[in-house]
């Protein structure tokens, strides 16, 4: 059975800060992106060589538009922290 996509957490146009943590050895780096939500979706993981697994293995993403107009697709994992911010 193919799982259904999760329900969106944010309405389009909501200002959001996405904070991600990257651990390399004993160090931990933090990255942050702030922007307006365009959409939340899922994307397949893997390629053609994986055959039908691309239908089953999926990763949640959120598409943000930054203040300068740049569009960023953030891959979400269990350590990604999303915060709704007040409108500017």
């Amino acid at each position: 059975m193919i799982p259904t996509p999760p329900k969106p957490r944010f309405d389009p146009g909501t200002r959001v800060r996405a904070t991600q943590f990257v651990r390399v050895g004993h160090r931990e780096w933090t990255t942050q992106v702030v922007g307006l939500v365009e959409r939340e979706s899922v994307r397949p993981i893997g390629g053609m060589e994986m055959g039908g697994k691309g239908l089953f293995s999926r990763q949640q993403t959120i598409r943000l538009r930054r203040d300068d107009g740049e569009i960023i697709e953030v891959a979400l994992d269990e350590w990604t922290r999303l915060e709704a911010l007040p409108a500017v």
Side-chain angles (χ1 to χ4, degrees):
M1 183 171 131
I2 298 173
T4 59
K7 296 195 185 295
R9 292 189 273 178
F10 302 101
D11 293 327
T14 304
R15 190 168 181 77
V16 171
R17 176 187 297 131
T19 306
Q20 292 186 310
F21 303 95
V22 178
R23 187 173 167 156
V24 178
H26 66 282
R27 297 182 190 154
E28 184 177 276
W29 296 326
T30 303
T31 62
Q32 289 187 347
V33 175
V34 176
L36 299 176
V37 174
E38 288 199 344
R39 70 173 181 212
E40 292 181 63
S41 60
V42 293
R43 67 178 177 194
I45 299 174
M48 292 297 293
E49 66 277 357
M50 292 182 66
K53 291 184 180 179
L55 296 174
F56 179 73
S57 300
R58 295 184 174 251
Q59 181 177 38
Q60 293 182 6
T61 62
I62 188 167
R63 184 176 175 156
L64 302 175
R65 181 177 295 270
R66 293 178 41 160
D67 294 336
D68 62 0
E70 181 181 9
I71 296 174
I72 297 178
E73 189 94 17
V74 179
L76 305 177
D77 60 15
E78 60 268 18
W79 298 289
T80 301
R81 190 172 62 216
L82 294 173
E83 305 171 61
L85 300 174
V88 177

